[in-house]
Amino acid sequence: MARAKELVAGGAAARYVADPIDTYSTSWRDERGERVVEYHASAGLSIEVTALETVGELMLDLAEAGADARVSWELSPERRRSVLRSCGSRPWRPCGGRGRAIAAADVEIVSVRDARGGSDGTAPVMRAMAMADGAAPR
């Protein structure tokens, strides 16, 4: 939580949401008939990071602290519109004319997924982020 607060205060994150701690226990008898009790506790913390260059360091910090860290991402509405406009201004090989049709339509893209790996060796997420920044994927 302290790291999340720092990121928000420094402008690298828009917000964070901390879930309450969830606890439960399980018990059973072992092979000697002795009762064994396990106690479990978990808590969730979501951070909306706006400075993408901080994500790698944040994930490393969380992993070193023993957290089960997961990343999901999405483009802001402004960035999404920018990417869609650029799709319409140049042909996409896989989309052909559909890129222009999507950019011209008054629609909201909910998700874009590409399950295939890239021929250039980049992951689909990295290609999308590079496109969003107007850069060629490395």
Side-chain angles (χ1 to χ4, degrees):
M1 291 254 312
R3 181 76 169 124
K5 289 177 183 178
E6 288 174 13
L7 290 169
V8 171
R15 66 187 185 106
Y16 70 92
V17 176
D19 296 332
I21 296 175
D22 181 32
T23 61
Y24 68 94
S25 64
T26 57
S27 66
W28 68 90
R29 300 228 176 255
D30 66 10
E31 59 276 354
R32 293 179 301 233
E34 295 180 21
R35 186 169 182 224
V36 177
V37 179
E38 286 186 341
Y39 297 96
H40 304 265
S42 64
L45 176 66
S46 299
I47 306 171
E48 186 178 326
V49 177
T50 54
L52 294 179
E53 64 275 4
T54 64
V55 172
E57 178 186 339
L58 178 60
M59 293 303 293
L60 182 61
D61 290 347
L62 292 170
E64 287 176 348
D68 179 15
R70 299 175 191 158
V71 175
S72 64
W73 68 277
E74 65 183 77
L75 298 174
S76 68
E78 297 80 24
R79 182 58 67 102
R80 186 179 299 120
R81 281 191 290 277
S82 171
V83 169
L84 286 175
R85 268 189 242 106
S86 74
C87 290
S89 65
R90 67 184 194 287
W92 279 17
R93 265 183 254 139
C95 296
R98 286 181 284 167
R100 285 184 293 281
I102 290 171
D106 185 18
V107 298
E108 178 182 345
I109 304 297
V110 176
S111 69
V112 176
R113 296 193 303 163
D114 181 0
R116 300 166 294 154
S119 60
D120 60 356
T122 59
V125 168
M126 298 309 292
R127 285 195 311 276
M129 289 172 69
M131 282 177 41
D133 288 334
R138 288 191 279 263

